[in-house]
Amino acid sequence: MAEELNPFKIAQEQLDMAAKLLKLDPAVHSVLREPKRVLEVTFPVRMDNGQVKTFKGFRVQYNDARGPCKGGIRFHPQETLDTVKALAAWMTWKTACVGIPLGGGKGGVICNPKEMSRAELERLSRGYIDAIGMIIGPELDIPAPDVYTDPQIMAWMMDEFAKIRGHNAPGVITGKPIPLGGSQGRGDATARGAVYTIREATKKLNIPLKDATVAVQGYGNAGSYAAILLKEMGARVIAVSDSKGGILYEKGLDPQAVLQHKHKTGSVVGYAGAKEITNESLLEEQCDILCPAALENVVTGKNAPRVRAKIVAEVANGPTTPEADEILFKNKVFDIPDFLCNAGGVTVSYFEWVQNTYGLYWPVEEIHDRLDKIMTKAFNDVYDMHLKHNVNMRMAAYILAVQRVAEAMKLRGWV
Ligand code: NAD
């Protein structure tokens, strides 16, 4: 039978496993299996040719027991409500896992930003905020960037929200440009947080980071910075890819130069001196550290037996299916689960929200230092849970996160 790849079913399945191990109160479990609030919107956008097109979007608020909902907005042609629900659930576990006082949410619009002009994207961004404006706010639900959304889009969204409310409210959204209240260090925060967890994992596994070989799938915001930072820490980035294909150079790529090539040509493919490979084969390259940093469900029951990396660092959300998880665990591939590995983005988003609330801004060194402390502690908390319960790192992260959310729900008297 084909493996079930509905991301929300996968998220529920993962929660069910954690609930069983935790002997979770069935009432808490039942609340945690579904989002608290789902908003589906359709809204008109005037295109550059004068015609009006209708777009569909979602905002899911999964759980706010530990604080306001928090989660990015994706612009993607294949966006589905179930994907947004899964991502909102994972945000709930992510904020709890790293111990920041926020809940989980997520948003998305079905659109193809690659086929839209900047002016059309601005009208789409404003239209989406008009449609969901009544359920977001600094104390309610705080969106952020995700796949194919960027700081400029956050700026338009913040401005639209300010117009609706009639006053500035920079804390409504994070990932803003710095002149509009964005935080230092937000640009590379997801990758930097991931790299801190990779550093901790290599210590536990006795793999020297110096000259460790790295393959990165997805060369966008998260993937390209991960490659750059890992190279800075002495690792050798041998393969990277994007939606158009991959490149391999065993002596080690220059990630900055690859990024410049991608900016110039639109893809990493065609980078001088490197061998072209497929996205699928990148996942099976012989390397120490594999970073899936694109979309979900790329390591599956089918290809997991062929993964030869020692560490899989899930920079992307949901890249590994449950069937693949079991195979990796059996094959002693050490997996750093998504909601631990990529929590650096939401952690610096949290710093941005705190700075907006105080109107007081921190230097980048302070951001890096605080991020390192939070990520290192979270990694070690999850690692200890992994040893204590003899479960893989994902289950350990679930146990930790679900326990924390359940405790907040009980203290509030919800269950
Ligand atoms: P992005 O849009 O900047 O980059 C996505 C990259 O993936 C692009 O290079 C694109 O070409 C590539 N890609 C798309 N389809 C692909 C395919 N089929 N095979 C290989 N590559 C493909 O997005 P991002 O912000 O870097 O996000 C990437 C992942 O990281 C997502 O899963 C996202 O949810 C997760 N993430 C991002 C952040 C953040 O702060 N940016 C935070 C947490 C998690």
Side-chain angles (χ1 to χ4, degrees):
M1 206 177 80
E3 200 178 351
E4 172 64 83
L5 294 183
N6 176 319
F8 186 53
K9 291 234 169 75
I10 290 174
Q12 286 182 318
E13 217 177 288
Q14 291 165 340
L15 170 70
D16 293 346
M17 284 192 267
K20 203 165 149 196
L21 281 167
L22 266 173
K23 298 189 177 54
L24 190 67
D25 175 345
V28 175
H29 185 191
S30 149
V31 175
L32 289 179
R33 285 193 100 246
E34 295 290 340
K36 173 175 175 167
R37 185 179 290 130
V38 173
L39 182 63
E40 181 175 322
V41 294
T42 35
F43 56 97
V45 177
R46 190 166 298 280
M47 309 306 279
D48 290 346
N49 65 7
Q51 283 177 357
V52 172
K53 218 171 138 182
T54 304
F55 288 87
K56 183 174 274 195
F58 312 100
R59 185 73 197 169
V60 174
Q61 296 174 340
Y62 202 85
N63 187 289
D64 59 358
R66 300 182 64 263
C69 294
K70 181 95 196 74
I73 296 166
R74 285 184 170 195
F75 286 175
H76 201 273
Q78 271 98 44
E79 193 60 282
T80 66
L81 178 56
D82 275 350
T83 308
V84 181
K85 279 160 73 172
L87 291 164
W90 290 322
M91 283 305 298
T92 307
W93 313 136
K94 190 184 296 189
T95 53
C97 178
V98 291
I100 56 178
L102 295 166
K106 203 81 184 187
V109 178
I110 306 170
C111 65
N112 189 350
K114 288 185 180 170
E115 288 173 356
M116 297 172 73
S117 69
R118 291 306 278 176
E120 287 171 341
L121 274 178
E122 176 176 354
R123 293 193 289 273
L124 178 90
S125 304
R126 291 184 185 278
Y128 176 65
I129 291 301
D130 288 339
I132 67 159
M134 79 289 277
I135 65 160
I136 61 169
E139 289 91 29
L140 201 56
D141 181 5
I142 307 133
D146 201 277
V147 178
Y148 299 141
T149 52
D150 59 22
Q152 177 60 70
I153 290 175
M154 298 304 109
W156 292 325
M157 290 182 169
M158 181 201 85
D159 182 65
E160 194 61 26
F161 184 79
K163 284 181 178 158
I164 296 171
R165 292 291 160 101
H167 59 81
N168 260 314
V172 67
I173 210 156
T174 58
K176 300 181 292 294
I178 289 180
L180 291 180
S183 179
Q184 299 284 345
R186 179 62 182 84
D188 68 2
T190 300
R192 189 172 288 276
V195 166
Y196 291 147
T197 67
I198 292 169
R199 181 196 64 202
E200 294 306 301
T202 58
K203 283 187 208 161
K204 302 284 184 204
L205 302 176
N206 286 321
I207 300 170
L209 198 46
K210 169 123 193 47
D211 230 26
T213 48
V214 177
V216 180
Q217 185 195 46
Y219 215 62
N221 177 302
S224 63
Y225 276 126
I228 290 165
L229 292 170
L230 283 165
K231 166 127 198 299
E232 274 175 27
M233 289 172 107
R236 185 152 46 98
V237 180
I238 58 164
V240 302
S241 70
D242 60 28
S243 57
K244 306 217 170 86
I247 53 171
L248 172 75
Y249 183 61
E250 270 152 13
K251 286 191 185 146
L253 294 158
D254 174 349
Q256 286 279 15
V258 174
L259 189 60
Q260 276 163 17
H261 173 78
K262 184 171 164 73
H263 284 154
K264 234 189 278 164
T265 65
S267 173
V268 298
V269 176
Y271 179 73
K275 188 176 139 198
E276 285 189 20
I277 55 168
T278 62
N279 251 307
E280 293 71 40
S281 66
L282 177 134
L283 298 169
E284 299 167 18
E285 272 320 316
Q286 180 83 56
C287 61
D288 294 311
I289 302 156
L290 170 65
C291 301
L295 298 173
E296 51 285 334
N297 298 331
V298 293
V299 182
T300 63
K302 232 162 132 191
N303 62 4
R306 296 193 294 274
V307 169
R308 291 183 288 169
K310 294 183 186 131
I311 297 173
V312 173
E314 297 184 352
V315 179
N317 283 310
T320 311
T321 66
E323 199 181 326
D325 247 355
E326 275 178 34
I327 296 168
L328 296 182
F329 191 51
K330 216 172 61 213
N331 291 351
K332 299 198 165 32
V333 178
F334 187 87
D335 186 88
I336 311 175
D338 47 8
F339 65 77
L340 169 63
C341 188
N342 67 32
V346 73
T347 302
V348 175
S349 269
Y350 160 61
F351 296 161
E352 181 174 336
W353 176 72
V354 170
Q355 292 170 89
N356 293 154
T357 306
Y358 275 82
L360 179 71
Y361 290 82
W362 306 335
V364 72
E365 297 76 25
E366 187 165 350
I367 302 281
H368 291 170
D369 185 46
R370 286 178 185 270
L371 178 65
D372 196 350
K373 287 197 176 99
I374 288 182
M375 296 304 297
T376 300
K377 178 173 186 319
F379 179 90
N380 284 293
D381 286 350
V382 173
Y383 188 79
D384 290 348
M385 204 58 100
H386 147 79
L387 294 184
K388 186 173 157 197
H389 290 274
N390 189 28
V391 290
N392 65 19
M393 287 286 283
R394 186 181 325 280
M395 234 349 94
Y398 261 99
I399 291 173
L400 189 73
V402 171
Q403 250 174 3
R404 288 179 178 167
V405 177
E407 188 187 10
M409 286 165 60
K410 290 223 172 216
L411 286 168
R412 280 176 183 266
W414 288 0
V415 280

